[in-house]
Amino acid sequence: MTTQITKDAPNTPPSAPAPKGLIPLPENTARATATAAGALTAASAFLAWTWTAEFPGDLTVYGYPGGLQWLVLIGGALTALYGLSSYGIKGLRWLAPAGAYAALKFAALAAFATAWYTVLSISTELGGLVNLEPGGYIVALTSLAALLGALALPFQRPEPDPIDPDDTGWEHFKHRTRHGWDTTKAAFAADTPRPVGTLPSYAEILIITAILALGLLVFTYGIGTEYDELFVGFLITAGFGFAALNKAGLVAHASQITARHQNITICGAFAAAACFPFTQTDDQYATLGVYILIFATVALGLNIVVGLAGLLDLGYVAFLGVGAYAAALVSGSPNSPFGVHFPFWAAILVGAGASLVFGVLIGAPTLRLRGDYLAIVTLGFGEIFRIAVNNMDGTSGPDITNGSNGISSIPNLELLGFDFGAQHTIAGFTIGRFANYFFLMLVVTAVVVLVFRRSSDSRIGRAWIAIREDETAALAMGINGFRVKLIAFALGACLAGTAGTVQAHVTYTVTPEQYLFAGQVPPNSAFLLAAVVLGGMGTIGGPLIGAALLFLIPNKLQFLGDYQLFAFGLALILLMRFRPEGLIPNRRRQLEFHEEAEAPTVLSKAGA
């Protein structure tokens, strides 16, 4: 049965009802309302929202945004831009290759949530609505109008008929033009997916550079937020803003571009990260940066075990502790019973080697288990390690680790005469202690990324993936499952021990309490596993970004106190509900979680 397409509604069969939004408004009215109100919301950031400077951010100035006003300005501008893009304006078509309506909703939600959070915070902290200036009332009304207009838009435009794979190229061309994929303004006015052509290589490299610069800017802004209200507003704007870009198709388009230039993207990412210490005036935020890199490196090592080989390891943080304790014992600490001081290259070999040995010793008798049984055994190993180093105090056991007091006064690293604990001046910039360790961890992270890439692309990496997908089938194909899993376990442990060596020198002290299964402050096994899953299992960028978020957010949300873990759990539930494949998903997992959306509709003829 063939559906006739009318001229008035080129994408809608005559029998199908017109799609509607949550609010009964004509589509053109709703779109105009959302666009205009978004522009007014952005403009209201230049007004004063309160009369007193007691609220942080100085929101009392006319003509210049401050604090949270910058975030509302970004949300309002995005709303207006996606509203204009939905009209098919030629210069804005690239903003929404997958359609503008869904992106417009999330952009309006970002502006509304940030604006109303700010207004309510001002009223709560200062004692009522009387503390609002006219700009505060205006931004509340305009952001609400933008959200209502966006919600009145249709939630989903009808999709074009599926392309028959047996059609000729001419039939394919007629199908595209008939359903709006031509270059006319009328075609782009409808909220339908738009074709994205391949750009020249130099243009794609420029796009990658812009993406990395934007990522550095967002990270630097987030890590440098000076007060709690600003960081919460940053999370709101960044979260809904990312959702808007994702719904618009820009995230998918950027992923395709970076995948075509993977080597350039990775090198550019490290170059952008190396610029971070030069954006800081002191070590306050460089401290967070080096801890994030340590956490991210360990998470990437865990990604080999969990993401590639599919082994659920709940005690992985113990390998970080083994490397840290091994390096601390040979690095010249006065609390070490050995009384030796190895150079850095030897200490890092000791830390990585000790973790490798423990990985083999633990993996050899346990990796014949699968699933939940393996998870329980690794969880037990993590607890055994912590209890063992706690008891090696000379009373309950041999005097090796100094018990609960740990090994303290670990000296700073020196490499080729370069003292990582001293300040250095580079190109007119003063680089402090934590900035030095940031650069060192950046090199370690680069090595771990190289190992991960080479391993995943090798024959052993393909064997890991086969074991992860179906171990029984992999064994039937001749893969030695035990040997392959043991290599993954040992390699992941070695990488964790390497990061632990640097961690011991950065923190000066290693104690058993640093290596718990779960706690409010990472790194711990629960946060490491969450970083891998939330970031994107089996990818390089996923665990790095996931670890950065999971380390930064708890440090910035300490003002929540006992509610911090509640907020963290709620965020996990929401992310697993709306993006279960992770922030930077592996293509295979993305297809698994969104099979109904991604599967090709090639059976239409058979069904007919």
Side-chain angles (χ1 to χ4, degrees):
M1 179 178 178
T2 305
T3 302
Q4 296 296 327
I5 306 298
T6 63
K7 290 184 178 179
D8 295 333
N11 292 323
T12 308
S15 58
K20 297 180 180 179
L22 287 178
I23 300 172
L25 280 178
E27 183 175 341
N28 288 335
T29 303
R31 182 164 51 177
T33 300
T35 305
L40 291 175
T41 300
S44 64
F46 293 89
L47 302 176
W49 291 2
T50 182
W51 61 272
T52 174
E54 292 183 10
F55 188 83
D58 195 10
L59 309 183
T60 64
V61 180
Y62 282 88
Y64 187 80
L68 287 160
Q69 289 176 327
W70 281 108
L71 302 176
V72 176
L73 174 62
I74 293 173
L78 274 179
T79 305
L81 286 174
Y82 278 118
L84 293 173
S85 177
S86 67
Y87 282 97
I89 297 177
K90 186 175 181 180
L92 298 178
R93 294 174 187 171
W94 62 272
L95 278 174
Y101 281 178
L104 177 58
K105 289 180 174 64
F106 279 102
L109 188 57
F112 169 80
T114 309
W116 278 70
Y117 166 74
T118 306
V119 169
L120 292 177
S121 297
I122 292 173
S123 303
T124 302
E125 294 184 19
L126 301 184
L129 295 174
V130 69
N131 293 284
L132 293 176
E133 284 287 290
Y137 294 103
I138 292 174
V139 74
L141 294 176
T142 56
S143 61
L144 177 60
L147 180 62
L148 294 177
L151 293 178
L153 293 170
F155 270 85
Q156 185 176 4
R157 301 289 294 193
E159 295 292 335
D161 295 336
I163 300 174
D164 189 343
D166 296 329
D167 283 345
T168 63
W170 171 246
E171 293 294 329
H172 189 181
F173 172 77
K174 289 196 297 183
H175 177 275
R176 292 180 59 176
T177 55
R178 184 178 62 183
H179 290 291
W181 282 17
D182 55 63
T183 57
T184 62
K185 183 176 180 181
F188 280 95
D191 191 53
T192 54
R194 301 163 188 177
V196 179
T198 302
L199 298 172
S201 295
Y202 72 89
E204 292 188 338
I205 293 174
L206 289 177
I207 291 175
I208 291 173
T209 304
I211 293 172
L212 294 175
L214 178 62
L216 177 62
L217 177 63
V218 171
F219 176 77
T220 303
Y221 185 89
I223 203 173
T225 49
E226 299 175 352
Y227 49 94
D228 301 331
E229 294 87 350
L230 182 60
F231 184 73
V232 173
F234 167 76
L235 287 182
I236 294 172
T237 304
F240 287 121
F242 178 81
L245 298 178
N246 183 50
K247 289 294 184 179
L250 288 179
V251 174
H253 190 199
S255 299
Q256 294 173 3
I257 293 176
T258 55
R260 286 195 290 268
H261 305 278
Q262 196 173 49
N263 292 331
I264 294 176
T265 302
I266 293 175
C267 294
F270 279 102
C275 294
F276 169 72
F278 296 101
T279 65
Q280 308 300 310
T281 56
D282 53 40
D283 266 358
Q284 179 182 0
Y285 300 121
T287 305
L288 287 179
V290 69
Y291 285 133
I292 287 173
L293 280 181
I294 292 173
F295 187 27
T297 303
V298 180
L300 193 57
L302 179 60
N303 197 25
I304 293 179
V305 180
V306 177
L308 293 182
L311 306 174
L312 184 56
D313 189 347
L314 298 181
Y316 188 75
V317 74
F319 296 120
L320 175 69
V322 169
Y325 266 97
L329 289 172
V330 299
S331 294
S333 169
N335 300 117
S336 172
F338 301 126
V340 295
H341 189 178
F342 286 6
F344 168 66
W345 63 268
I348 200 168
L349 288 178
V350 169
S355 295
L356 176 65
V357 170
F358 270 86
V360 173
L361 292 178
I362 299 301
T366 61
L367 285 178
R368 300 187 188 276
L369 301 173
R370 297 187 187 181
D372 299 338
Y373 301 100
L374 177 62
I376 293 173
V377 169
T378 56
L379 175 61
F381 165 65
E383 291 302 303
I384 289 172
F385 166 77
R386 183 179 58 83
I387 295 172
V389 296
N390 196 37
N391 289 336
M392 292 181 183
D393 57 357
T395 302
S396 303
D399 186 11
I400 297 178
T401 63
N402 202 25
S404 59
N405 294 323
I407 300 177
S408 58
S409 303
I410 301 173
N412 286 304
L413 286 174
E414 288 191 13
L415 182 62
L416 301 177
F418 185 88
D419 186 358
F420 285 86
Q423 288 187 348
H424 301 275
T425 301
I426 301 176
F429 293 92
T430 300
I431 305 299
R433 177 179 183 271
F434 285 101
N436 295 331
Y437 281 109
F438 181 89
F439 289 121
L440 176 62
M441 273 309 305
L442 204 59
V443 175
V444 174
T445 305
V447 172
V448 173
V449 168
L450 179 63
V451 171
F452 184 91
R453 286 193 66 195
R454 300 296 293 177
S455 300
S456 61
D457 293 337
S458 66
R459 180 179 179 183
I460 198 75
R462 292 192 295 271
W464 287 337
I465 295 173
I467 291 288
R468 181 192 69 192
E469 295 301 319
D470 192 328
E471 184 171 352
T472 303
L475 295 177
M477 295 299 293
I479 295 176
N480 188 332
F482 172 75
R483 182 174 65 87
V484 167
K485 290 191 291 185
L486 186 60
I487 292 174
F489 215 70
L491 180 58
C494 180
L495 297 180
T498 304
T501 302
V502 181
Q503 184 207 28
H505 292 84
V506 171
T507 58
Y508 288 124
T509 303
V510 289
T511 59
E513 288 73 20
Q514 293 175 338
Y515 309 105
L516 301 171
F517 166 72
Q520 291 191 353
V521 179
N524 54 63
S525 292
F527 272 80
L528 286 170
L529 185 60
V532 173
V533 175
L534 298 182
M537 295 174 60
T539 64
I540 294 176
L544 298 179
I545 293 179
L549 292 176
L550 291 183
F551 192 93
L552 179 62
I553 292 175
N555 275 275
K556 291 290 188 176
L557 295 183
Q558 292 181 2
F559 67 93
L560 292 178
D562 295 336
Y563 294 97
Q564 181 179 345
L565 288 180
F566 170 78
F568 175 70
L570 181 62
L572 291 186
I573 293 173
L574 294 175
L575 191 57
M576 287 294 97
R577 167 60 183 85
F578 295 105
R579 198 169 176 84
E581 69 273 21
L583 296 175
I584 301 181
N586 177 275
R587 182 61 177 168
R588 183 190 299 271
R589 291 183 59 81
Q590 193 172 26
L591 289 174
E592 290 174 358
F593 283 108
H594 300 282
E595 191 173 353
E596 70 284 352
E598 299 286 348
T601 54
V602 297
L603 301 179
S604 56
K605 272 193 171 183

